[in-house]
Amino acid sequence: MSKEVQPIYIMPEGTKRNRGRDAQRNNIMAAKLVAETVRTTLGPKGMDKMLVDELGDVIVTNDGVTILEEMSVEHPTAKMIVEIAKTQEDEVGDGTTTAVVLAGELLKKAEELLDMEIHPTIIVKGYRMAAAKAQTILKNISEKITGDNKEILKKIASTAMTGKGAESSKEKLSEIVVNSVLEIKIKQDDKILIDIDDIKLATKVGESIDHTELIQGIVLDKDRVHSNMPESVKNAKIALLDSPLEIKNTETDAKIQITDPNQMQAFLDMEEKMLSKMVNKLSSSGANVVFCQKGIDEIAQHFLAKKKIYAVRRVKKSDMKKLARATGAKIISNIEDIEKHDLGIAGFVQEKKVGDEEMTFVKECENPKSVTILIRGGTEHVTDEIKRAVSDSIGVVCASVKSQRVVAGAGATEVELSRNLRLYSESLSGREQLAVKAFSETLEIIPRTLAENSGLDPINVLTILKSAHDKGKKWAGINIYDGKVMDAWKMGVIEPLKVKTQAISSATEVATMILRIDDIIAASLNQDEQQEMGPNFKR
Ligand code: ADP
Ligand code: MG
């Protein structure tokens, strides 16, 4: 009698499972697809992408991380690749496309090694060895600069902006970016501290990109509360209040029985008196400008106007903090406590029409620790893309000022690194050697893509670049305009070392993580969940 063998279920019905080579191929394919999507945007001549969301809103951009974030990627591995771009953005603010393209290429090369029956663990080991060596090589080939070398910093700022719609005003924008970073940097002992949040990026449609300006202080999207207040105040003494300039609404607080009209009048008089007292207190501290995080009562507005005090209400909390850092004011909660030394100082506070809206400028702050870049441009799409370019540029300038180590771009660093890693691989034995060699070849994807995106022949470009590097020209890069070799350093194509080290370490991390996966177990949704998420939702 034969016994029927019962299958054993260790997972719920409907669970999808993908194992071994299938799992690997599936993952590598997803990663390559993501990399391929952003690859065409790399470099000054890279193309842009138009992204349209469910509501029909359009973004036109060249920025790797923005594209990936907007794509709402669903595949779990593809999501891991998107994460690299986000890490790169957080750590350096530039090089997001580079990091993703490198990860895709590392996996593509790994696939070739897998086809040669090399075990994933060997590939992972080789990749890790190569990545570690790459960090040393990069440090060795990098150049040291001083953190206040404006000339070089401007070149770095400009390199990050090349090809991002900011082309025509690159000079001016680079100057603004460098000045803003140098303004807010703080030297503490031997360390340089920079908080990127201290640079406020404001955009306003209108005029042209060339009208973008750096304000030594803060610009607010707000007008003064009362038209009888002065439109501008010189030598501003600024009070920052995070409590309302009004008497609490009695309706919600307590019920007062008023039986006689005189009582009502007495009550109103009292309220008026209290508000007047508050304004007097402000005025006697010497304040001629007040920014209030909460509301300002109409009667108080009237008193303020009479005292010629410029007042703005409902200022965002984040802006209050920035105002404090820019003007040196202390944020006060209780108006009774306000003293002269709590006030901040600005050379000029002014209401000004920008585009079709009134804005408040707090400028000419002395030694501000918070500044604003007011970005102008013909349409919102333009100002948004310029904002992204400026923000990348701020990132690279900060990274350069902090670490003071920089390298040349235009593929020079990648070819030099690749050459050194190939030499390193030759010193190794065993199968890891193949993985290290594959890693060194991976780096060639950067100059190759720069060439392809510029309509040049990638094989040609790589050949001439490699031969220049073999002759000892470490900063030989590709001139994307004529396809010839150029000295990228002399041509001012300069990037912080951190862009490269971070891109390599995160690309390696994610590629090796993906290679070590040999089993994908995906839970299926139960009926209720599926109904809730809609028929198109897949996990
Ligand atoms: P990422 O998101 O990686 O920063 P980009 O589209 O900004 O992508 O392109 C960066 C690449 O473009 C870098 O490899 C950089 O060296 C290169 N690059 C920038 N300016 C130039 C230039 N003038 N000539 C050649 N390559 C350049
Ligand atoms: Mg860039």
Side-chain angles (χ1 to χ4, degrees):
M1 226 170 63
S2 72
K3 251 204 222 154
E4 207 173 304
V5 179
Q6 289 287 328
I8 302 172
Y9 294 106
I10 58 169
M11 287 178 292
E13 211 180 326
T15 304
K16 270 201 241 136
R17 194 157 178 194
N18 217 335
R19 271 193 269 198
R21 288 297 286 273
D22 268 356
Q24 265 154 0
R25 292 218 185 275
N26 182 311
N27 280 338
I28 291 174
M29 176 74 84
K32 281 201 305 196
L33 275 174
V34 176
E36 208 48 49
T37 316
V38 291
R39 204 165 86 89
T40 55
T41 69
L42 187 82
K45 290 215 179 177
M47 302 298 271
D48 296 345
K49 304 261 167 203
M50 180 189 255
L51 302 151
V52 187
D53 72 7
E54 295 94 331
L55 300 171
D57 282 341
V58 174
I59 299 180
V60 177
T61 186
N62 181 286
D63 189 44
V65 69
T66 310
I67 298 168
L68 295 170
E69 272 177 349
E70 295 292 323
M71 265 169 39
S72 16
V73 168
E74 268 192 8
H75 191 287
T77 315
K79 276 188 184 158
M80 286 166 71
I81 300 282
V82 176
E83 286 304 314
I84 314 181
K86 288 191 189 155
T87 312
Q88 184 80 18
E89 176 81 0
D90 292 345
E91 293 286 324
V92 206
D94 188 28
T96 53
T97 316
T98 304
V100 169
V101 168
L102 281 178
E105 191 69 5
L106 276 175
L107 286 165
K108 191 171 156 196
K109 293 269 180 231
E111 202 175 25
E112 290 166 21
L113 296 175
L114 289 171
D115 285 342
M116 289 160 64
E117 302 297 333
I118 296 178
H119 196 270
T121 53
I122 306 272
I123 306 175
V124 167
K125 189 171 165 211
Y127 275 9
R128 288 201 177 134
M129 285 162 68
K133 186 77 185 170
Q135 300 289 333
T136 324
I137 297 171
L138 282 172
K139 177 108 197 272
N140 286 340
I141 63 172
S142 69
E143 309 273 353
K144 179 105 177 100
I145 59 159
T146 55
D148 52 6
N149 187 334
K150 265 195 172 186
E151 273 320 299
I152 296 225
L153 291 177
K154 269 201 278 188
K155 288 175 182 163
I156 295 166
S158 153
T159 301
M161 266 185 288
T162 314
K164 299 236 182 287
E167 207 62 44
S168 55
S169 310
K170 229 166 56 176
E171 271 294 303
K172 173 150 197 207
L173 294 176
S174 306
E175 171 97 30
I176 288 179
V177 165
V178 171
N179 286 341
S180 68
V181 173
L182 293 181
E183 192 72 70
I184 56 131
K185 82 168 185 195
I186 298 169
K187 218 171 161 187
Q188 214 172 59
D189 304 326
D190 270 352
K191 267 193 153 168
I192 291 172
L193 305 177
I194 302 175
D195 184 352
I196 290 190
D197 286 343
D198 284 335
I199 303 177
K200 179 175 171 177
L201 296 183
T203 56
K204 203 85 214 161
V205 174
E207 300 281 0
S208 71
I209 304 171
D210 250 339
H211 286 83
T212 296
E213 56 175 327
L214 171 63
I215 289 110
Q216 309 281 346
I218 304 298
V219 179
L220 302 171
D221 242 334
K222 299 247 166 208
D223 49 1
R224 64 200 201 284
V225 281
H226 198 289
S227 56
N228 283 349
M229 290 175 174
E231 232 170 283
S232 65
V233 178
K234 265 197 181 149
N235 295 326
K237 309 268 180 306
I238 300 165
L240 300 180
L241 267 186
D242 68 359
S243 56
L245 259 177
E246 50 197 13
I247 310 295
K248 281 236 172 91
N249 195 340
T250 39
E251 274 173 83
T252 52
D253 276 343
K255 276 212 175 88
I256 309 174
Q257 289 279 344
I258 294 177
T259 45
D260 145 7
N262 288 336
Q263 247 177 329
M264 182 65 191
Q265 193 52 47
F267 177 72
L268 289 177
D269 286 349
M270 188 189 70
E271 202 177 72
E272 196 175 309
K273 243 194 207 143
M274 282 165 82
L275 287 168
S276 156
K277 213 174 127 207
M278 284 164 108
V279 172
N280 282 338
K281 178 75 202 170
L282 255 179
S283 162
S284 63
S285 74
N288 51 14
V289 174
V290 55
F291 291 104
C292 184
Q293 198 181 318
K294 302 279 166 58
I296 302 180
D297 186 281
E298 262 179 46
I299 297 172
Q301 291 178 19
H302 169 77
F303 286 134
L304 286 163
K306 260 171 103 179
K307 296 258 181 209
K308 299 268 171 266
I309 296 179
Y310 185 115
V312 178
R313 67 175 163 185
R314 306 215 180 278
V315 177
K316 271 193 283 177
K317 192 172 176 188
S318 58
D319 282 336
M320 291 294 281
K321 281 195 187 142
K322 288 185 173 130
L323 281 166
R325 287 181 65 70
T327 65
K330 189 174 154 199
I331 300 176
I332 298 290
S333 300
N334 187 352
I335 206 161
E336 292 299 321
D337 297 340
I338 198 160
E339 297 287 346
K340 191 165 176 241
H341 62 249
D342 296 327
L343 303 179
I345 293 173
F348 203 46
V349 172
Q350 180 193 27
E351 183 181 286
K352 205 165 100 178
K353 201 170 180 140
V354 183
D356 49 8
E357 265 172 275
E358 307 290 348
M359 296 180 100
T360 292
F361 287 68
V362 180
K363 53 190 193 182
E364 294 170 23
C365 297
E366 209 176 299
N367 206 0
K369 283 296 154 246
S370 189
V371 297
T372 307
I373 298 178
L374 179 60
I375 295 168
R376 307 302 311 275
T379 71
E380 209 176 307
H381 295 146
V382 174
T383 52
D384 285 353
E385 180 68 348
I386 300 294
K387 185 176 174 184
R388 286 187 285 269
V390 166
S391 134
D392 281 9
S393 188
I394 291 173
V396 289
V397 174
C398 287
S400 311
V401 170
K402 273 194 210 159
S403 83
Q404 312 196 346
R405 290 217 160 258
V406 297
V407 294
T413 298
E414 286 80 6
V415 176
E416 185 64 18
L417 178 58
S418 166
R419 198 179 75 89
N420 280 287
L421 280 175
R422 199 178 56 242
L423 294 176
Y424 167 62
S425 80
E426 283 161 10
S427 74
L428 300 170
S429 55
R431 307 194 100 188
E432 290 93 16
Q433 183 189 24
L434 292 173
V436 176
K437 190 153 168 280
F439 194 107
S440 87
E441 286 164 5
T442 295
L443 294 158
E444 292 174 358
I445 187 73
I446 302 299
R448 191 141 37 91
T449 306
L450 288 173
E452 266 174 44
N453 289 352
S454 314
L456 300 167
D457 176 20
I459 298 177
N460 234 341
V461 164
L462 258 184
T463 316
I464 54 173
L465 276 183
K466 279 175 158 177
S467 102
H469 280 258
D470 285 342
K471 287 186 193 126
K473 296 185 179 152
K474 84 168 167 179
W475 295 139
I478 180 67
N479 183 335
I480 49 162
Y481 303 99
D482 63 10
K484 298 206 174 100
V485 173
M486 66 174 185
D487 185 321
W489 182 270
K490 286 202 184 122
M491 295 303 288
V493 183
I494 304 178
E495 297 175 271
L497 173 64
K498 181 92 196 260
V499 173
K500 308 294 181 188
T501 51
Q502 181 66 44
I504 286 177
S505 67
S506 27
T508 312
E509 235 167 65
V510 85
T512 52
M513 185 185 262
I514 290 172
L515 282 172
R516 292 178 59 235
I517 299 170
D518 75 341
D519 204 349
I520 307 170
I521 305 161
S524 70
L525 298 173
N526 65 35
Q527 264 178 358
D528 289 349
E529 283 173 325
Q530 190 71 61
Q531 215 155 29
E532 198 180 305
M533 308 304 287
N536 290 328
F537 185 85
K538 275 196 283 308
R539 198 178 260 166

